[in-house]
């Protein structure tokens, strides 16, 4: 009988042990209350219990190795087993313990204090366990641009024996920069920060413990902690670094019946939207694709399908991130003809001054013609120097010495601040006129000129023939007169001289 009772008692103890373990696991895994604490400041961790006699309060940090934070029983604090990291930093509100207040005040909050805590309270009649999680909050945010240098600010009260310790602590912990005994100690610096950090040592006497970080990467984003300590002062600062890479340039081009808008190297992940000006009731189909690069930046591209007969519209592409936005518009300008080897292409419909804007003219979207910066500095590419005649203040481009090789698409890109306007113009040789009225006029003119020429030739020939006929008649009269005179001289020699003279005079008169 006694053996049976013993076995039953042993079984009941085991059941109670299992039940206690399950209750303990449930307590540890249920939802915790969260407490936000500022780095370097004091923070109160709340805990309450049912008042009673012989109260005991135990605070424990639930790390991989449980760290005892504070113990109170027998009406006094017990520091023997307190973790060294919490020495001199914890206290209870003893005047309120009798009211059931077991809250803990933690001073000089550090990065390592973040995590889960357990508050265990007991009296003669009650036991209670509560859990909470400390979240370290930073009082400021610092924005750093990708690829650039960035200064992380930190200050302290100047004094002797200066120690500066920079830590990256969120989402993981890594040593960034350590300075003590009047020099840097980078033996334990995380590899990712090697060769990229420096302090302003010439400004330590002014209390400047700021850190300069070069070549900012997306991986640098997160929480940073600066601890600056001297004999006279022990200070610190925590903040969150946010990395950004704004869209530097938006590319827009036409491919068949689509307009493609794209931009590369953006962070964080951007949004892309399309709009039409003037607003149109028609629906335009578009497809957008986002790709992440090895540097954790984003490339974005979107294609918009065009509709026929919509030449007078501006297609606007907007790319934005939470802190930056850039916009570009694309329009098809009127076609231009090459006349006598020259052509003038307008950059915008308004022809207004572009002073203070940057201007780029290109041929077939890949060959640079001329660039004009915001300070009006102009540069023409070597290949186009003989062809660029003038670039007006409104961006209008005048070309000369053009041939069939220069037929194609000319693109004008105007940029200022966060906006880019793109105009594409087609250039082609002037066509010969096919107007039938013009053809008839040309033919009649040729016929008229030909008739006049023929008439002049006929008139000249006829005049020449008349002159030749008269000359022949005169020659014949002279010959006949000569014959008559010879005969007369033979018949009447005495009068020959007189008669001959009379005949010669008559012949001259006739001529």
């Amino acid at each position: 009988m006694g053996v049976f009772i013993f076995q039953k008692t042993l079984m009941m103890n085991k059941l109670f042990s299992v039940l206690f373990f399950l209750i303990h696991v449930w307590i540890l895994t249920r939802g915790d209350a969260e407490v936000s604490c500022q780095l370097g400041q004091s923070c109160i961790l709340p805990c309450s219990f049912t008042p009673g006699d012989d109260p005991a309060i135990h605070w424990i940090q639930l790390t991989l190795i449980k760290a005892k934070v504070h113990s109170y029983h027998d009406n006094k604090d017990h520091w023997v087993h307190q973790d060294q990291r919490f020495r001199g930093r914890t206290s209870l509100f003893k005047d309120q313990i009798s009211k059931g207040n077991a809250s803990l005040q933690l001073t000089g909050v550090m990065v390592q204090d973040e995590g889960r805590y357990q508050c265990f309270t007991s009296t003669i009649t009650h036991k209670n366990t509560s859990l909470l999680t400390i979240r370290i909050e930073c009082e400021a945010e610092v924005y750093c641009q990708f690829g650039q240098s960035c200064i992380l600010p930190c200050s302290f009260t100047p004094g002797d024996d200066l120690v500066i310790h920079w830590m990256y602590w969120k989402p993981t912990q890594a040593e960034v920069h350590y300075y003590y005994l009047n020099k840097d100690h980078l033996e334990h610096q995380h590899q990712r920060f090697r060769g990229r950090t420096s302090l302003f040592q010439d400004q330590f006497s002014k209390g400047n413990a700021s850190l300069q970080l070069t070549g900012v990467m997306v991986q640098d984003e997160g929480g940073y902690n600066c601890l600056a300590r001297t004999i006279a002062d022990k200070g610190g600062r925590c903040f969150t670094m946010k990395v950004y890479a704004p869209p530097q340039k938006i590319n827009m081009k036409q491919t068949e019946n689509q307009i493609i808008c794209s931009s590369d190297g953006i962070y964080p992940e951007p949004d892309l939207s399309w709009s039409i000006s003037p607003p149109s009731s028609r629906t335009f189909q578009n497809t957008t694709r986002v790709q992440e690069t090895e540097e954790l930046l984003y490339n974005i591209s979107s294609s918009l399908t065009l509709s026929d007969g919509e030449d007078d519209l501006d297609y606007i592409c907007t790319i934005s991130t939470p802190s930056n936005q850039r916009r570009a518009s694309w329009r098809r300008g009127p076609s231009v003809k090459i006349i006598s080897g020259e052509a003038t292409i307008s950059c915008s419909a308004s022809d207004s001054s572009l002073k203070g804007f940057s201007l780029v003219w290109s041929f077939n979207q890949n060959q640079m013609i001329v660039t004009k910066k915001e300070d009006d500095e102009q540069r023409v590419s070597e290949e186009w120097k003989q062809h660029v005649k003038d670039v007006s203040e409104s961006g209008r481009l005048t070309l000369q010495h053009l041939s069939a090789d220069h037929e194609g698409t000319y693109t004008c890109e105007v940029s200022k601040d966060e906006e880019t306007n793109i105009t594409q113009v087609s250039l082609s040789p002037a066509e010969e006129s096919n107007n039938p009225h013009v053809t008839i006029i040309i033919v009649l003119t040729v016929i008229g000129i030909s008739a006049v020429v023929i008439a002049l030739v006929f008139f000249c020939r006829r005049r020449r023939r008349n002159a030749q006929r008269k000359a022949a008649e005169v020659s014949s009269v002279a010959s006949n007169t000569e014959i008559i005179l010879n005969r007369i001289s033979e018949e009447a020699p005495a009068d020959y001289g007189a008669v001959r003279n009379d005949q010669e005079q008559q012949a001259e008169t006739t001529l």
Side-chain angles (χ1 to χ4, degrees), residues 484-485 488-489 492 494-505:
I484 293 171
L485 290 175
I488 292 174
S489 63
D495 298 324
Y496 170 74
V499 175
R500 185 177 180 89
N501 290 334
D502 291 339
Q503 292 291 332
E504 289 179 351
Q505 291 177 359

Side-chain angles (χ1 to χ4, degrees), residues 471-489 500 503-504 506-507 510-511:
E473 291 176 354
V474 171
S475 177
S476 177
V477 170
S479 178
N480 291 335
T481 301
E482 183 71 23
I483 293 171
I484 293 171
L485 290 175
N486 289 335
R487 288 180 180 175
I488 292 174
S489 63
R500 185 177 180 89
Q503 292 291 332
E504 289 179 351
Q506 185 179 354
T510 302
L511 290 173

Side-chain angles (χ1 to χ4, degrees), residues 9-25:
T9 304
L10 184 62
M11 184 179 296
M12 291 297 293
N13 289 336
K14 288 183 178 180
L15 288 174
F16 277 117
S17 297
V18 171
L19 182 61
F20 178 79
F21 174 76
L22 292 175
I23 292 173
H24 182 71
V25 170

